[in-house]
Each structure stands twice: as structure tokens, then as C-alpha cells.
Amino acid sequence: MGKQKQQVISRFFAPKPKPSTDDTTTSACSPGNAPTPRPKATASVSFSPAKRLKIDEFNSHRDKHLQRDDEPSRRPEPCEDLPEVSTETPNPTKYTPLEQQVVELKRRYPDVLLMIEVGYKYRFFDQDAVNAARVLGIFSHMDHNFFTASIPSFRLNVHVRRLVNAGYKVGVVKQTETAAIKAHGLNKSAPFCRGLSALYTKATLEAAEDLGGGMEEEEEGFMVSSNYLLCVVEKDVDCNNGGVDVRIGAVAVEISAGDVVYDEFDDDFMRNRLEAVVLNYSPTELLLVEPISKQTEKLLSASNARIERLAEELNEADFVQKDGIGVVAMPELAVRALAFVARHLRQFGLERILCSSGASFRPFSSATEMNLSANTLQQLEVLEDSDGSGMGSLLKCMDRTLTTFGSKTFRHWITHPLCDRNMICDRSDAVSEIMASSDVKIHQVVSDVLVALRKAPDIQRGISRIFHRTATTSEFASVVEAISVAGRRLRPLCNSDEEKKRPEVKSKLLRKLILTAASSAVTDAASKFMSSIDREAADKRDFRNLFITDNGNFDEVASARARVNSANESLNRLLPLYRKQLRRTSLKFSTVARVTHLIEVPSDAAVPSDWIKVSSTARAVRYHPPQVLRGLDELALANEELVVVCRAAWDGFLRAFVEGCYSDFRAAVQALASLDCLHSLAVLSMTNKSYVRPVFVPDEEPVQINIVSGRHPVMQQDDSFVPNDTNLHAESEHCQIVTGPNMGGKSCYLRQVGLISLMAQMGSFVPASSATLHVLDGIYTRMGGASDRIHLGRSTFLEELSEASYILRHCTSRSLVIVDELGRGTSTHDGVSIAYAALHYLLDRKRCMLLFVTHYPEIVEIRNEFPVRVGAYHVNYLTRVNQGEEDITYLYKLVPGVSERSYAFRVAQLADLPSSCIGRGVEMSKKLEAEARQRKVEKGCRDILLLLNDALSEEGDDDPERLSLVRNLAISMLLRIKTN
């Protein structure tokens, strides 16, 4: 058996080494000379079953790269849970110097997949090599004591993204010294010093150094999207407190965009509010602070996010206010979650994003925003349609933004409609002015600016990377220049018209946004900083020629350049000596294969014996004289020192930018994002001529929803779509009970009213002939469809009643409530009873705007108790008998009245059920309907007899024969009615 195979088997069966308690070694340069380690939270990493399944499917076809067919024992079996990085190390008799560094690094970072720079490659070792081989499709093999795999250094960014996308926390270990500097150092014979230079996860990748904001992600097909990091902290509360059993603090951070949102709220057993947070922000990483309840863990584990559990307690230092962190207004649990996020980000060097000057802090919801639950967003298909593709969603229908940062802002607008009438009207005024700006061309100017920004890098991510000081030179130049150009092009729109003495832009909101984006503080700062660097060198990321030193700035860079020039001049002064020595006046330095300052002479020419031969051809030989080697050594050292000085100057340059004008640039970016959203709403209305501006009644007027010829915004483009009116008023009819056949358009009508209300409070025009609305404080839905969540321990009926319970507890008289087929998840009698009771509660206690769809005609009898407030409607249809079968034609028009039948067998025919099955079902349905009619007649007969008996008794007639005659006559008449 070969030595390598023996080592593999020994390693495979070797006992695990005891974990070391020595945490002092950070850099793997030498155990005795290690820098101070970064603080980091103790954490264990796991993945949800859904994420693990995806990873396994993604990697299963790459197993063949890990071993050769003739060497089945070449690697140990991979662990069952792929993303868990093994910390097991071999126990050899002797490590190589490089392997000793690997051991020290893995001991320091056991939960990180390490990519270690070795020459012109990045290498993986041990279990990291096995996992990387599976994800990247590369070959791993045994080398000395470890399995190893490698990638070329110029592909680092691509492979880091792939590993991060597979769910790993990836660490890049770089050589902390260059060959030129090492040659002049004290450790000439020792291995290169190496240290962890960067950590990457999904939530931190775009803000990280060297890897974020570049074009490589587009080339490799990586989608640029929001990558929120969500931290959840919870505390138990009294279970009898209105259905609440837990209080949750949450903080979501989009590191690359500088967005920090927070909240603290009570939640019920179903975690409805937490689910809404997850749905709104779709986090790619979750920080779960233990202890955590099973219900919360089940909900969060069902997502595809990477989960990291934090078990370490906070200390007083974690709550210390630093760099202006604004925690005064934040609730207690949210502050605690923020402290855990800060500790987590510290290991990535990105904790500065949590300072008030580095990010925009805002709560998840505020008094000026409508409350939309997770059910409402899902059942109205706001973000995704029923198949999860998003193609039939309201967001896809409405979003006409031109920039990535504008698209993210638009997503927030659509999930957080406004509740402030003045703010809604301000948005509508801005949209109207963009649409009607034929004279001053506001629409054209804004459109041109947004198109130009679309071609530039994402300025929101770019400005955040500048704040983190991880932006490249080309990114800085492109982002600052793009923001400055956009401001200069927008500024003329706000110049005053001298003749008419008025500003060209009338809308208060539109003018404010344009002035912020076109601020002179932004354009002046852009000119100042761009004049300090060479644009061409910035595009090439050439640090050595980046800074302009003619104006007396960057003295250290100028001195370093002088040393480089001096070294070059010293080499150039050698050339006349060699021309004289060899008696060749035309002699020049040549460069071959990046080797410079070569002396090339014919192969038969005589040269000094101490000259070193570098290469040769048939006719010529190339040499390096000793003086040239010494000069090249000095030049290399001077160039390395110049790069170090320029990088330090670059860091100071970015620091000065952040301290001086970052807040102005961030405000400009936010203003441009809002302009993109307003422009999107204007384009939507201009391309749909059937859209109209909604009118909002004053807040003191009764709540009402009056829509004429309303249409579903997603489906209204179909020419055959049938519009419907909606009239709800708090002082008259504020509840519609809607019945009708299956597939008649009931659910479409419900969504139509809900979406029109939502769009109106975004500030958008709506698909209708006219719309007069009151500002709603929320839209609550419980729509039909048998669905369960077995993975969360929820049955269909529990899910149904939980949604109904949430509505009954949270809706108000200023809410729109949409209920579709409540009670369908249980027996008919129980279902009717529950639906009736819920409807009665909403009418009696809440008095909200209510649309109630049911297949139970008995529910309509509630009109007897609330005759003014309730109206009965049904979606109209036509029927006819064709060859003994009843055909139905849907008219999709809402009309007054009640539909007694649902015509379910028409749907059964469309679903292509066997005809024999449908026939038997029709017979059974007729039998049950006949029995129901008979019971109804019998009940009516009994009621008539009781009333007749009471009436005769009240008359005071004491003649027994007369009473008996009347009773017998009534019975005979009722029997005749029953028989007929």
C-alpha cells in the first residue's frame, strides 16, 4: 500500500485532537509574533433543510472530480451535512512550515472555509479542499499530510462568490509581505507571513474589499439583489395577553446599501408579524440569539437563509455608544439585537455601518405607513404570484424603475403604503407633474438622468463601499462622477422663471428631491476630490500613478515616487557604461517575458564572467550584470514601498471623503431613488390610459371606498376584462356579502378592491374610471384555498382560523377586511357557524369596510340583524339546458342578490374528471338538495303552525271545535304544499 493511502486511512481513523484553548495566534507568520486578533462572537452554523437540499442537489454532479476511479480511498467520506466545515486535523509526525500555518489558521477560524494564498494560487486544505472541490468542480488530491485543491489567484472573486452562494463563510488568507520586502527583512529563510485578510458571507459580500461592486458578478450570472442580515431576539410574555406569547426584537441590515431597519413587537403563536418581516426583507442570513422558541425557529428555518446561532452573552462594552450609534429611540430588545449585529459585523470589519452617519435608521413600520401582514402580501399577490415566479405580481406589473437602487426603494413603497393623507397627495402631485410636463420637459430630463445612472455602477452600493473604505479606485471615480453629473443635469429644472416669477417645478416633493440630488455641496465636493486623482489611472486601478501631487498634496506619495525615479535613473546610468565596455553604441535595455533591463548581445560576443545569463536564442544571449541586479532589487523595493504608501494614501483619501461629504452624497442617492420611483409611477399611468388619479376625502369624513369601473391592475390589460363598481360607506352599507359560482370572478373582485386601495395609498394612479377613498390604516385578508404548513406544525383549518383571529384582533373601523370562504376547512355546520360568528363580530364590534365571500347562502340571513349595513351581491351568470346538461356562462359582473348554487360540476368538467364520476356526483347532489329542501319546508310548516297556534290563543277563542277545525285546515294546506 502506498504511503499516501496509508496516511489517508490513518487520518480517517485517527481520534479527534482536543480543541486548543490558545487563541493568541492570528497571523500564521510565527506562533510567537502574532497580531492582536479581531473580537468575534462564538457561533455555530447550520442550514435549513430546504437550503441543505439545494446545496446537495447543486453539488451532487461534481463528486466525480474528487477522486480518480482507480483510487477510491483517495479522500475520506464527506460529512453528511455538507456546509459544516470540519475542524478535524491529521496527526502526522511532522508538518511542513506551510502546513503548520494551516493548522494555526484552522484552530483560530474553525467555522470558516479558508482560501490560502500560496504564490499565484489560492489553496484549500483538509476538509475545506473536499468541500471546495464539490462546489467548484475542481480536483482535490493528497499532498503531504492534507488533502488540497487550488484555484488561480485571478479567479478569486468568482470562486469566493460561488462558495458564498453555496452557504459558506469564506475566509481569504493572504501573504502579508511581498518577495521584494521579504528579501530585505529579517525572516529571509522563513515562510511568507500569512493572515486572514477578509471574511465573506452573503450579507457582507457586496460591501467587502476587492469582491463587491465589480462587473465579474454579471459575467458569471450572479444576480445583484438585496442581502439583508436579520437578527432576532425574543422574550416570553404572558400567554393570556390577547393571544400574545412572545415579544420579539429584530434588526435587519443591508450592509452594502447602508439600510438599517428595526422594531420590537408582540407576536402570537403563529408568528404573523415576524413572518411579515421575513417576507418583506427576504434575508439571506439570520442571526438567532439563543434561547429561542420552537415556533420562531420553525418559521425562520423554513427560509433559505444561512443561519448562525449566537450563544454568547453580551457584556457592557457591547452596549457602549460609539461612533454616534443612535440607540436612544430604539426599544430595549431592538437595542439588544443591534448589539449582536455589531459584534457579528466586527469580525468582518464592517461594524461602522451601524453608526448614524453611515446608514439610514428607520423602524419596520411607522405611524405614516399602512400595516400589511404577511397574509395580505401573499394573498393579494403583491410581491409574488401563486406559483412563486413573481411574473403575475403587483410589483412586476407596476415596477418601471430604471435603476437597481430605485427598484429596491419601489419594493419598500409597495409593501409600506402611506397612511398620511398629505404625504399621499404630495406623491400624487409629483406623479401628475411628471406626466403633464410637456412645457418644461421634466419627464424627459428625469428619464435621461435615470437611463444614464442605469448604465453606471449601482451608486447606492458604491457610496456604501466608499463609506466602508472598500471601494476600488475605478468604483470611486464612477460613483462620484455619476452622482455629480446627475445633479448638474437636474439643477436647471429648479431654476426660477424670471418672467413668470415662479419655479418651473410646482410639486413640493418633486422640487425637494431635485434640489437634494442637485445640491451644490455634492457637485463641489465631487469636483474637489476628482481633481486630486488621475481619472485614467483610477480606471486602470493603478495606485502608483493615481494621485496628483503637483498641488503639494500627498507628500509621502511624492517622496516614494522620487525614490522609484531615482532607482530607474540609477539603472539608466549604467547603460552608457555597458555600451563603452562592449563597444556597442546602439546597445539598449530590452524586456522579454516581463523580465526588464536585459543586455542582449550576439551569441559569439564576449562578456564579463560575472554576468548572469538569463535566456538565449540561436543568435543572441541575454544577460543581467551584477550592477543591474542590484539596481533591479532596489527598484523592486522602491515600487513595493510606493504601492504601500499609495494604498495608505488611498485609505486616507476615502476617510476624508466620508468625514467631509458622505452624508450629502447618501442623501443625493436616496433622492435619486425616490425620483426613480415617482418616474416609474408616472410611466405606469402614461402607458395605461385607463388609469385615474384617486381622490382622498378628508380624515374627518366617514370611511368610504367608492370605485367606478374598477379593474384588476394585473389582469386589466385583457380587453375582455369586465370592470365592477364598489361602494362602501361607514354610515350606510359597509359590508358586501358576495356569492356566486366557482370561477365566477369573486376572488378577482376581492383582490381588485384591495390592490386599488393599496396603489392609491402608494401615491399611484389606479385602474378605474374614478376612485374616491378614505385613507385606510390597514388591509387584512383571509382568502380561500386549502393550504397547510406541515413543516410549521399547522393544519389547514388551524391556518385558516389563525388568519381569521389575526384579523379580528388587529383590524379597526378604518381598515379594509377581505374574507373569502371562511369555514371551508371543517364540516358544513361548523363552517357556517364559524363564518357567521366571525362576520357578526366584524359587523357588531369593528364596523370596518368589509368584503365577505361565501358559498354558504345561509350567511346572507345576517342582513336581518344588520339591514342597513349589509348588502347581498353575486357575480352574475347565465344558464341553459343543452341536451339534458346544464351549461353556465360567466358574466363576471357584480349584481345585487344571492346565488343559491355554486355550479361546482362545471369546474369538474373543466378539470376533466371521468364522466361517470361527475354523473354520480350530480345524482348525489340532487338527492342532497332535495333532502335539504324537504327539511326547509318541514321547518317552515312547523313555524307556521306555531305562529297560528299563538295567534289563535291570543284571540281568546274558547270553542275547542273551532280551534281544531282551524288547525286541521292549516295542516292539510301545509301537507299539500309539502307534497307539491
Side-chain angles (χ1 to χ4, degrees):
M1 184 180 296
K3 180 178 179 181
Q4 286 186 346
K5 293 185 178 180
Q6 289 177 346
Q7 291 176 340
V8 171
I9 294 176
S10 299
R11 174 172 171 266
F12 187 75
F13 289 101
K16 293 184 179 180
K18 295 181 180 180
S20 175
T21 59
D22 182 10
D23 265 339
T24 59
T25 305
T26 311
S27 171
C29 178
S30 64
N33 185 20
T36 304
R38 286 180 178 174
K40 88 180 185 70
T42 301
S44 60
V45 183
S46 64
F47 294 84
S48 65
K51 183 65 178 177
R52 187 178 296 116
L53 179 60
K54 285 189 175 183
I55 294 173
D56 289 340
E57 291 176 353
F58 177 75
N59 296 324
S60 59
H61 69 284
R62 292 197 168 115
D63 287 343
K64 62 183 180 180
H65 296 286
L66 295 177
Q67 62 183 27
R68 289 200 288 263
D69 295 337
D70 58 339
E71 292 184 344
S73 301
R74 198 169 180 82
R75 64 176 176 89
E77 290 295 324
C79 55
E80 292 183 4
D81 191 357
L82 170 62
E84 296 289 349
V85 181
S86 171
T87 61
E88 181 177 350
T89 56
N91 189 21
T93 57
K94 185 177 180 181
Y95 288 125
T96 66
L98 175 59
E99 288 177 337
Q100 182 62 45
Q101 290 183 344
V102 172
V103 170
E104 297 295 336
L105 288 164
K106 286 304 296 181
R107 183 176 62 180
R108 177 61 183 164
Y109 307 103
D111 61 333
V112 180
L113 192 153
L114 295 177
M115 307 175 71
I116 301 174
E117 184 180 19
V118 182
Y120 296 104
K121 295 181 180 181
Y122 281 92
R123 293 179 63 181
F124 307 89
F125 293 89
D126 197 34
Q127 188 65 35
D128 291 353
V130 176
N131 292 337
R134 296 187 66 185
V135 173
L136 304 178
I138 59 179
F139 182 73
S140 68
H141 62 92
M142 198 70 182
D143 183 21
H144 292 86
N145 300 299
F146 293 109
F147 270 91
T148 187
S150 64
I151 60 166
S153 58
F154 66 89
R155 297 282 286 177
L156 173 68
N157 51 0
V158 174
H159 291 303
V160 166
R161 289 179 179 277
R162 287 176 174 169
L163 290 168
V164 166
N165 196 50
Y168 289 100
K169 179 192 288 186
V170 178
V172 174
V173 178
K174 291 188 176 181
Q175 297 172 177
T176 57
E177 57 184 352
T178 64
I181 294 177
K182 178 178 170 58
H184 291 78
L186 300 176
N187 61 335
K188 297 180 180 179
S189 59
F192 280 95
C193 291
R194 293 180 174 89
L196 187 70
S197 64
L199 278 174
Y200 303 104
T201 59
K202 274 191 174 182
T204 62
L205 183 65
E206 295 303 326
E209 187 175 4
D210 296 335
L211 295 178
M215 298 299 294
E216 294 83 4
E217 62 232 43
E218 298 179 9
E219 296 173 2
E220 292 295 325
F222 292 98
M223 297 299 294
V224 177
S225 60
S226 296
N227 292 304
Y228 277 94
L229 167 70
L230 175 64
C231 181
V232 176
V233 179
E234 68 178 17
K235 178 175 66 175
D236 292 337
V237 297
D238 185 6
C239 295
N240 297 321
N241 184 18
V244 174
D245 70 342
V246 71
R247 188 160 184 81
I248 294 177
V251 170
V253 183
E254 224 293 32
I255 302 160
S256 62
D259 190 22
V260 180
V261 286
Y262 63 88
D263 205 356
E264 181 176 323
F265 49 85
D266 294 327
D267 215 346
D268 56 18
F269 177 80
M270 307 303 290
R271 301 296 187 267
N272 284 292
R273 293 196 64 179
L274 180 59
E275 185 178 10
V277 170
V278 173
L279 186 64
N280 267 289
Y281 295 98
S282 301
T284 57
E285 285 192 68
L286 293 168
L287 301 181
L288 305 186
V289 180
E290 297 179 343
I292 194 166
S293 63
K294 291 183 179 179
Q295 292 79 12
T296 300
E297 184 165 6
K298 282 182 178 179
L299 172 66
L300 297 178
S301 297
S303 68
N304 289 328
R306 176 182 180 271
I307 297 176
E308 189 156 335
R309 304 173 193 277
L310 304 181
E312 187 172 345
E313 285 296 324
L314 295 170
N315 52 47
E316 186 176 351
D318 293 311
F319 291 97
V320 174
Q321 191 171 2
K322 60 183 182 62
D323 269 346
I325 292 181
V327 298
V328 176
M330 294 176 64
E332 178 186 352
L333 285 181
V335 172
R336 183 174 174 82
L338 183 67
F340 276 108
V341 172
R343 172 181 286 189
H344 175 75
L345 292 181
R346 198 170 297 132
Q347 62 183 311
F348 300 90
L350 300 174
E351 72 278 7
R352 292 179 61 255
I353 193 62
L354 300 180
C355 69
S356 58
S357 63
S360 57
F361 279 72
R362 56 185 174 86
F364 281 122
S365 59
S366 66
T368 62
E369 294 179 343
M370 182 188 290
N371 179 21
L372 296 183
S373 66
N375 284 333
T376 301
L377 295 174
Q378 292 171 336
Q379 294 170 358
L380 292 184
E381 300 181 349
V382 175
L383 300 177
E384 293 182 349
D385 50 10
S386 55
D387 62 5
S389 66
M391 299 304 296
S393 66
L394 179 67
L395 178 62
K396 182 67 176 180
C397 170
M398 293 185 65
D399 187 4
R400 310 296 173 87
T401 54
L402 297 175
T403 64
T404 55
F405 54 92
S407 179
K408 287 188 292 184
T409 302
F410 193 87
R411 180 185 173 98
H412 178 78
W413 281 21
I414 205 171
T415 55
H416 296 79
L418 298 173
C419 284
D420 185 287
R421 183 175 179 272
N422 294 329
M423 294 174 68
I424 296 171
C425 292
D426 286 344
R427 281 190 188 174
S428 297
D429 290 343
V431 172
S432 298
E433 186 163 4
I434 293 174
M435 292 173 60
S437 57
S438 57
D439 295 333
V440 294
K441 303 297 183 183
I442 297 176
H443 173 266
Q444 188 61 50
V445 173
V446 173
S447 179
D448 291 344
V449 168
L450 294 173
V451 169
L453 289 173
R454 186 178 190 175
K455 297 176 182 178
D458 185 343
I459 59 174
Q460 187 181 50
R461 291 182 186 275
I463 203 69
S464 180
R465 286 170 53 76
I466 291 173
F467 173 81
H468 291 298
R469 302 197 298 275
T470 58
T472 63
T473 56
S474 58
E475 281 179 319
F476 176 89
S478 298
V479 168
V480 171
E481 196 172 69
I483 297 173
S484 176
V485 170
R488 288 197 298 269
R489 296 178 69 175
L490 288 171
R491 186 175 296 167
L493 295 179
C494 287
N495 292 336
S496 297
D497 189 330
E498 296 297 337
E499 295 181 359
K500 299 180 180 180
K501 302 298 182 181
R502 63 173 177 83
E504 292 187 354
V505 178
K506 301 176 184 178
S507 163
K508 180 173 63 176
L509 174 61
L510 192 59
R511 183 173 178 82
K512 176 183 177 182
L513 293 175
I514 292 175
L515 287 175
T516 302
S519 168
S520 58
V522 171
T523 53
D524 293 347
S527 300
K528 172 187 173 183
F529 280 89
M530 290 300 295
S531 64
S532 299
I533 60 175
D534 183 271
R535 187 68 170 88
E536 184 178 354
D539 289 338
K540 296 178 180 179
R541 302 186 183 184
D542 181 5
F543 276 103
R544 293 183 297 180
N545 298 307
L546 176 65
F547 296 102
I548 298 175
T549 59
D550 297 342
N551 51 12
N553 295 329
F554 310 108
D555 292 337
E556 292 185 358
V557 174
S559 299
R561 283 181 184 168
R563 288 193 292 272
V564 171
N565 293 334
S566 176
N568 273 315
E569 291 173 0
S570 297
L571 283 168
N572 291 334
R573 284 197 295 268
L574 295 174
L575 190 58
L577 299 177
Y578 299 139
R579 288 173 178 169
K580 183 177 180 180
Q581 184 176 5
L582 298 178
R583 297 180 181 178
R584 295 181 179 273
T585 56
S586 61
L587 188 67
K588 295 180 179 180
F589 285 131
S590 61
T591 300
V592 178
R594 297 184 180 181
V595 180
T596 63
H597 295 83
L598 292 168
I599 300 294
E600 184 174 332
V601 297
S603 55
D604 57 351
V607 298
S609 59
D610 58 351
W611 285 24
I612 298 173
K613 180 180 176 182
V614 177
S615 62
S616 64
T617 64
R619 296 182 179 181
V621 181
R622 305 181 187 104
Y623 296 94
H624 265 160
Q627 298 91 332
V628 169
L629 287 176
R630 287 192 293 271
L632 288 175
D633 195 25
E634 293 175 0
L635 177 61
L637 180 60
N639 277 320
E640 294 288 354
E641 291 175 347
L642 174 61
V643 171
V644 171
V645 169
C646 287
R647 287 191 178 275
W650 175 245
D651 187 75
F653 181 81
L654 294 180
R655 192 186 301 272
F657 179 89
V658 170
E659 292 175 354
C661 51
Y662 169 77
S663 58
D664 293 329
F665 275 79
R666 189 185 68 186
V669 171
Q670 292 172 340
L672 289 168
S674 296
L675 278 175
D676 197 1
C677 293
L678 294 173
H679 178 267
S680 174
L681 294 178
V683 171
L684 174 70
S685 302
M686 288 189 293
T687 54
N688 293 275
K689 301 301 182 183
S690 58
Y691 274 43
V692 65
R693 177 174 176 171
V695 176
F696 284 92
V697 300
D699 293 341
E700 58 271 14
E701 291 195 16
V703 181
Q704 55 191 278
I705 297 176
N706 297 307
I707 302 171
V708 178
S709 297
R711 295 174 295 279
H712 193 291
V714 178
M715 302 178 61
Q716 64 100 24
Q717 297 176 359
D718 186 351
D719 294 335
S720 62
F721 188 86
V722 178
N724 276 297
D725 298 343
T726 303
N727 294 291
L728 301 173
H729 197 284
E731 295 183 350
S732 56
E733 183 182 294
H734 63 87
C735 171
Q736 292 183 350
I737 299 178
V738 182
T739 57
N742 296 106
M743 295 184 62
K746 301 186 298 299
S747 297
C748 179
Y749 170 71
L750 299 185
R751 289 191 175 94
Q752 165 186 312
V753 177
L755 293 177
I756 288 176
S757 302
L758 186 155
M759 292 172 64
Q761 293 191 209
M762 280 181 64
S764 172
F765 285 34
V766 298
S769 297
S770 68
T772 303
L773 308 168
H774 195 283
V775 175
L776 303 172
D777 64 1
I779 300 176
Y780 299 88
T781 64
R782 172 26 248 173
M783 302 198 67
S787 62
D788 56 37
R789 299 192 185 184
I790 297 299
H791 61 288
L792 299 179
R794 306 179 189 177
S795 68
T796 301
F797 194 49
L798 176 59
E799 190 76 11
E800 183 178 349
L801 293 190
S802 297
E803 295 175 4
S805 173
Y806 183 83
I807 293 173
L808 298 182
R809 292 181 183 277
H810 292 89
C811 72
T812 70
S813 60
R814 295 180 57 240
S815 303
L816 171 62
V817 175
I818 299 173
V819 180
D820 186 3
E821 300 184 34
L822 179 63
R824 66 177 294 173
T826 186
S827 65
T828 302
H829 292 93
D830 289 348
V832 171
S833 302
I834 289 173
Y836 188 95
L839 178 57
H840 189 282
Y841 186 93
L842 290 169
L843 290 170
D844 185 51
R845 303 277 187 91
K846 298 295 185 176
R847 301 194 175 192
C848 54
M849 301 292 102
L850 178 58
L851 301 177
F852 197 96
V853 169
T854 183
H855 281 291
Y856 301 138
E858 301 89 338
I859 299 293
V860 184
E861 294 179 4
I862 204 170
R863 286 185 301 174
N864 299 329
E865 194 170 348
F866 304 96
V868 177
R869 298 191 226 163
V870 180
Y873 298 84
H874 72 279
V875 285
N876 207 4
Y877 57 93
L878 298 176
T879 60
R880 66 172 181 169
V881 178
N882 183 17
Q883 297 179 355
E885 295 185 359
E886 191 174 29
D887 286 343
I888 180 171
T889 302
Y890 303 111
L891 300 180
Y892 304 109
K893 194 69 177 177
L894 194 72
V895 295
V898 181
S899 175
E900 296 288 341
R901 297 178 60 187
S902 295
Y903 295 95
F905 292 105
R906 171 61 175 168
V907 181
Q909 290 175 345
L910 294 176
D912 201 21
L913 262 68
S915 56
S916 60
C917 177
I918 295 176
R920 188 175 298 277
V922 171
E923 292 177 4
M924 189 64 181
S925 177
K926 290 179 178 179
K927 180 180 178 181
L928 293 174
E929 287 178 358
E931 292 176 353
R933 282 196 302 270
Q934 182 176 352
R935 288 193 298 271
K936 190 173 184 180
V937 170
E938 290 174 351
K939 181 179 181 299
C941 292
R942 287 193 299 271
D943 293 342
I944 291 175
L945 285 173
L946 290 172
L947 291 172
L948 182 60
N949 185 58
D950 293 341
L952 291 173
S953 299
E954 291 176 0
E955 290 291 332
D957 194 342
D958 296 333
D959 186 355
E961 292 184 0
R962 178 178 172 80
L963 291 174
S964 178
L965 179 63
V966 172
R967 288 191 180 96
N968 290 335
L969 180 61
I971 290 172
S972 64
M973 292 177 63
L974 291 171
L975 288 173
R976 187 179 303 170
I977 293 172
K978 179 180 178 181
T979 303
N980 293 335

